[in-house]
Amino acid sequence: MDSVIEIQRQTHEEIERLESAAASLLSQPPTTRRQQIKNEHKVSNILDRIKDRASTLHSSYLDDDNTRVTETAQLSAPDFTEFYSRLRKIRDYDMKYPDQLADPFELELGGLLGEEEDLDDVEEYEDPVSLLFSGEESFGRYLDLYTAHALYNNLKGLPRHVSYISYLDTLSKVKDDRVIHNELSTEIKLSKDYESYITSLYSYLLSFTKRTQPLVDVDTQQQDAETEFTRLWNEGQIGSWGDIAPRESANGSEGVYCHACQKMYAKQTVYDAHLKSKKHLKAAAREQDGGNKIESQSGKAAATNGASTSTHRSSKHFKAALTSHIILPLLVPLIPALAETKSNVERRFALTARERELEAEEPTQASQAAVQPANTAPAEEEPEEEERIYNPLKLPLGWDGKPIPYWLYKLHGLGVEYRCEICSDAVYMGRKNFERHFQESRHAFGMRALGLPNTKHFHEITRIEDALALAEKLKQEGRQEIFQNETMEEMEDEEGNVYNRKTYEDLKKQGII
């Protein structure tokens, strides 16, 4: 039989080592969101192990069967008989199993930290974190609400079909309304389809929160929200979820309402006939069972509240109302994720089919690069060292990705700097690049900012002052050119007399010619 004291000591040691491992994981700065979620899941598993060991340790210290007291009394004997007997057993065990691991807990701890993973065959390795999320969720960055969106559009009585982006906006309104789907009418919320929809949405949000935030105690938050809802429900403070009030029939007379079936019947005869149906009998039995459960759970409180509490709980809308209330603590913290999801959907709408395929392949390539085995790292680094380019002069790279020859560098004058003040003091290396930039958009934008045309007259002009002076000079030359055209251009009349253009036009206006 193992020593109880040794088991307790070993459990204490394992708890301390688990705490140290959790602290080391939390202290590591995550490089990516995927790495952060992976570390948090590891810490969550470690905390579960600590909880189990603490529970075992507590039961051991209670010592219900007096095992610890008996062992302490045996070890306290003055003749050390029990001590040497146990020492002999340890030596015999060590001689019988010489290759036994001295610290088996090291393997368990390595498994929690992910150190034992055999990555020799990378193609067959599957990252456990990637299996938690779908491709649409992108490791917890976005929400995948397409299923909930389809159920929402299938609700009876919905005015119109809602797009996926509009549906995300509708869920985001819960931050201001403090009520989910405030835009829906009471009739829709009281339907069975809405109950199925809200239950599916709640299940997904709960799963998503647990997968993305494994260190958050979501179950306790949900229990608190459920307790608060039960109190409000019993007090009658939850509006639009109670039993449906009796409505008048089409002919103006009041009908007969069945509380068990939650249905209105126009005539008494129809109501009496349905009392013998299987549907009514099942509904009545369900209502009675619900009342019995409430009485057993609430005890004295149920006896005080009486039939009102039973009536509230037995309502068939209780589940939908409860889910609509406890979903709020899950949905409100995910509003930033909803905004990111909306932006991602809008961005993907603008992509082509080929771009979407390439985008889907990127996470796979990244995951394969992330799970490369540690023993293959040196082999991958060797080609990188061989491909490392020696370029002390910082020469430009050619078409093959290698530096161009130094003589070619000098031939093209790539070491000469050309500065252009019009381009915000941009520097161009080499005469060819400098001449080419006059036709580029950057220089044209600078010329437009000065109010000047980017024509060949301003070629080679780089200073703003020179450009403005040249523009003024061109204006003056333009006026002189117009004057010269008027005086130098010759015109001939019908008699063959030759005049300059200005004189010809003046004589023609006077009617002399």
Side-chain angles (χ1 to χ4, degrees), residues 376-390:
T376 61
E380 293 180 355
E381 292 176 0
E382 289 179 0
E384 293 179 1
E385 293 179 357
E386 294 178 358
E387 295 176 0
R388 189 173 299 168
I389 300 172
Y390 180 72

Side-chain angles (χ1 to χ4, degrees), residues 50-67:
I50 292 177
K51 183 178 179 181
D52 294 340
R53 281 170 170 77
S55 177
T56 303
L57 198 59
H58 177 70
S59 302
S60 178
Y61 276 118
L62 291 178
D63 197 18
D64 296 333
D65 53 357
N66 295 328
T67 306

Side-chain angles (χ1 to χ4, degrees), residues 136-149:
E136 186 70 24
E137 291 172 336
S138 184
F139 299 104
R141 186 177 179 183
Y142 309 118
L143 292 166
D144 186 3
L145 296 173
Y146 286 100
T147 302
H149 172 239

